[in-house]
Amino acid sequence: MKIIASLLIGALGAMALAQPVEDVRYRPGKFKVAWIPSPNYNSRPEDALVDTIILHHTAGPTTSSCVRWFENPESQVSAHYVVGKDGSIIQMVMPFYRAWHAGVSKDARGKEGLNNFTIGIEIVHTGDPAEAYPDDQVMAVRLLCGYLCRIKYRNQIVQILSHEFIAVPPGRKPDPINYPWDSLNDLADEFGITMMHGRSDKGTVVRLPQKAN
Ligand SMILES: [Zn+2]
């Protein structure tokens, strides 16, 4: 009986091990930050003024699938931060360095190669237009943007842009689809930040910071 019991426990243990368990590192918890380095980064140009935040959606369902992709040297992509649906924040590249998230890109000032002077935030979302962004996730993005506006990586942040807005050619990227940009309004006003999203050649939304009377 004892032998059968131990065999059973052994079998259950093996079954538990066989289940795909999401690594706890990928979900530090609401508004908490974990550091999981990506090998996919390099130096910014000597004269780069880091003054822009780019928001993305991951086009995948989980934090771990995105983080694992950015951990893989073969992917040749990364972002400085990944924000999970539970409000977890994974930092993968130091903002001092150049992450690889923007691709061929241009901003409204005509500056190209946005990886050089931007901080990239990936928001976990499948890209389904009907999928909502949970409140904890939206708040985590807001907290992260607020933090990046307060500390300065070579320069003050002056604009927050969607990947969709900067992608060249226009229409190459849709992300972050249907993001609630209003959640950043008070932050944009406080720090004098312009927000631009939508396609750069049509349907563009430009929100200039409001001055308090
Ligand atoms: Zn993107």
Side-chain angles (χ1 to χ4, degrees), residues 72-209:
N72 183 348
E74 289 175 16
S75 74
Q76 294 286 293
V77 288
S78 63
H80 296 92
Y81 299 93
V82 179
V83 178
K85 289 195 170 296
D86 64 347
S88 290
I89 299 170
I90 314 296
Q91 181 169 2
M92 303 200 69
V93 176
M94 292 285 286
F96 186 76
Y97 291 106
R98 181 179 179 275
W100 303 342
H101 55 95
V104 182
S105 49
K106 187 161 94 172
D107 73 5
R109 303 172 298 190
K111 290 182 76 173
E112 298 181 351
L114 269 74
N115 283 338
N116 289 337
F117 59 92
T118 60
I119 295 170
I121 299 176
E122 288 278 355
I123 304 165
V124 175
H125 187 280
T126 62
D128 178 346
E131 182 181 322
Y133 294 87
D135 288 348
D136 286 347
Q137 187 179 36
V138 171
M139 277 304 294
V141 171
R142 189 178 168 285
L143 283 168
L144 186 54
C145 288
Y147 162 76
L148 293 168
C149 291
R150 283 179 180 88
I151 58 163
K152 294 184 177 65
Y153 282 95
R154 301 194 188 186
N155 210 44
Q156 179 68 54
I157 299 295
V158 298
Q159 55 181 0
I160 302 178
L161 313 175
S162 69
H163 194 189
E164 181 179 30
F165 182 77
I166 58 150
V168 174
R172 184 172 65 83
K173 290 284 179 179
D175 61 314
I177 198 158
N178 293 340
Y179 193 73
W181 287 81
D182 287 355
S183 62
L184 297 166
N185 283 355
D186 58 344
L187 191 76
D189 293 342
E190 181 181 352
F191 290 97
I193 288 165
T194 298
M195 297 195 290
M196 291 179 238
H197 50 101
R199 271 179 67 155
S200 58
D201 62 341
K202 57 181 181 185
T204 304
V205 178
V206 177
R207 184 187 184 276
L208 300 172

